[in-house]
Amino acid sequence: MELQYQLLLSLAVIHTVALASPGPDFALVVKLSTQEQRSTALACALGLAMAITLHTLFSLTGVSLIIKSSPNLYLLVQLIGASYLAWMGFGAIKAGLSQWKMRQQLRESAPAKNINRLQGFIQGFSTNLLNPKALVFFITLFSTLISPEINLETKAAITLLMFSLSLIWFSFIALVLSKPAVQLKMQRATPAINLITGLLFISVTIFIVTKLISEFI
């Protein structure tokens, strides 16, 4: 029992640090929280948490390892993920440049295109699930800390832990940044937020593509 608690504590600490680290997930929540309705940002947080839960289940059941061990399948997953992240990145950069250009022309910034809760959920879910770096992270994490002897009860506790921590963290960001007063203060920074978000997504895409090219050279 003590070993189980130590395992859960270790996973909690490592996952919390990973959640707080700058990345596509964090950037997306900040972007939606400062530019969209609170319900949309919270839906995005739920989508991210659900995708992390799936990664956890895939890793615990060996599905992720099967994907990683199949060169063609893993290549396909990386290409799909890189394409999605690039599409999201270019979209954010385009929006940021458009807003910045309008401000340079001394006109009011065009209002952000509102997205509903379902779209927010899908963006959050897809951003994490299709990120190949997330797949590798969970494979590495669980293969290092979890032995084959771990029982079903412990695996269920791990899955619940990963979901809960993810939902609490991203929901906290969404709740804080979606306050009207905060959104008003962040309005001037909207172009910068979109540009930074887009560049972060593009950077991850470049990292994935560069890694793929190096593997084939």
Side-chain angles (χ1 to χ4, degrees):
M1 185 63 70
E2 183 179 351
L3 290 176
Q4 178 181 350
Y5 289 141
Q6 290 178 352
L7 173 61
L8 293 176
L9 179 60
S10 298
L11 287 172
V13 171
I14 294 172
H15 188 49
T16 300
V17 172
L19 288 172
S21 302
D25 296 349
F26 184 85
L28 180 63
V29 175
V30 171
K31 178 178 181 294
L32 295 187
S33 299
T34 56
Q35 299 174 25
E36 302 291 344
Q37 295 181 352
R38 171 171 288 180
S39 59
T40 299
L42 289 173
C44 174
L46 177 60
L48 288 166
M50 290 298 295
I52 288 171
T53 303
L54 272 184
H55 275 299
T56 301
L57 290 172
F58 288 161
S59 296
L60 290 175
T61 57
V63 174
S64 293
L65 195 58
I66 293 174
I67 294 175
K68 185 72 166 58
S69 60
S70 173
N72 292 334
L73 183 57
Y74 186 49
L75 174 62
L76 179 61
V77 169
Q78 291 185 93
L79 290 176
I80 293 175
S83 299
Y84 176 78
L85 293 175
W87 176 71
M88 289 285 289
F90 282 120
I93 291 174
K94 182 179 179 181
L97 291 175
S98 177
Q99 292 160 348
W100 180 79
K101 183 178 179 181
M102 286 187 172
R103 289 190 178 182
Q104 290 295 104
Q105 295 173 347
L106 301 179
R107 292 161 53 185
E108 292 185 359
S109 295
K113 182 179 179 181
N114 293 326
I115 62 175
N116 57 37
R117 289 189 294 271
L118 178 59
Q119 291 171 316
F121 176 87
I122 292 174
Q123 283 194 16
F125 184 80
S126 302
T127 296
N128 183 273
L129 188 66
L130 297 179
N131 186 353
K133 291 183 66 179
L135 175 67
V136 174
F137 169 77
F138 283 102
I139 291 176
T140 304
L141 178 63
F142 290 125
S143 62
T144 302
L145 295 180
I146 298 178
S147 63
E149 292 77 22
I150 294 296
N151 57 38
L152 184 60
E153 178 183 340
T154 303
K155 290 182 179 180
I158 291 171
T159 303
L160 180 60
L161 175 69
M162 304 299 275
F163 171 78
S164 300
L165 288 176
S166 304
L167 183 61
I168 290 171
W169 171 249
F170 290 125
S171 294
F172 171 74
I173 298 173
L175 289 171
V176 171
L177 297 183
S178 62
K179 291 181 178 180
V182 176
Q183 284 191 331
L184 186 61
K185 290 181 180 180
M186 296 294 289
Q187 186 175 4
R188 287 183 174 274
T190 295
I193 291 174
N194 283 330
L195 286 173
I196 293 172
T197 300
L199 290 173
L200 184 56
F201 274 76
I202 296 299
S203 297
V204 175
T205 301
I206 293 174
F207 173 82
I208 295 170
V209 173
T210 302
K211 184 172 178 292
L212 286 175
I213 292 175
S214 65
E215 290 175 354
F216 281 94
I217 294 179

